[in-house]
Amino acid sequence: METVAEVRLPGFGSIVQDKWNSLLDVIGDEPEFLYVWALSVFVHSFFWLVGGLFVLMDLTNKPAFLRRYKTQPGKNEPVAWADLRRVMATILFNQTVIGIPLTYAGYHGTIKGLVPDPRVLPSLGVILRDLVVCVFFAEIGFYYVHRLLHLSPLYRHVHKKHHEWTAPFAWTAMYCHPVEHVISNMIPPMIGIQLMKAHIFTTAIWFPLVIFNTIRDHCGYHLPFFPSSEFHDYHHAKFTECFGTFGYLDWLHGTDTKFRQSKQHQRHRTLWCLKSARELYPDS
């Protein structure tokens, strides 16, 4: 009997394998290129494109019917061009001058020569196993680093830059001091990949999930059928609580006490209708 890690979907799996090999035939299958350069281009492009959809709404205030889903109405409506240029310049610096060299060093220092053959896709069970490990260590790493960044003088000299935005918009997810970008944005999501020596295919699934989650947390919208952004939005508005991503460690350490008594906590749920959270749970 096959173990969970060995389960494969013969028909679908063979189609994915063929498409994967076709892609590698075009871009190459050298591990350093895939884990450092191809992954950097893929992840950064994903950030700009997906985040840009939200930013476009904040620049144009269109479509009008989506304004009702703003978590902090009246903020960033619209985003000022000068502020946007400042945010973009910081992000580009973090991604290129900081991010790419760290990715290169991380690959050569931890997983070079140890990663699986890029041509042989992992089973579904192995992908899920590695993703669970990634989620586990990313949450632990982010929570404790984030709490550390709120201690003086780290807050004053490092993390305060990110908190210039009490009402964040999507691209501010990566607007931060370079030190924070390394220890908070990059290292926690890398831990699981490095521990599991994850396949590049799994890695290419994991990092867009991380990017999408942080964009959602910072986007300033609580959209129907999407996970709520109220938890992290509350953190930007109040500064002193809600340090994690999923809230489990905040519950364990009691760093969500005031949040649980707030209107934002009532709204912190997936909306399964077209009414906004503010309509369902009005301030009054």
Side-chain angles (χ1 to χ4, degrees), residues 205-223:
I205 295 173
W206 167 239
F207 281 110
L209 289 176
V210 173
I211 293 296
F212 180 80
N213 190 59
T214 192
I215 287 174
R216 175 189 57 79
D217 275 346
H218 292 85
C219 70
Y221 293 85
H222 185 171
L223 297 176

Side-chain angles (χ1 to χ4, degrees), residues 22 33 39 52 68 79 96 122 129 139 148 196 200 230 244 251:
S22 297
F33 170 76
L39 193 64
R68 66 199 293 190
V79 173
T96 55
R129 179 202 67 191
E139 178 68 4
L148 181 67
M196 303 307 293
I200 184 62
E230 301 282 352
W251 170 81

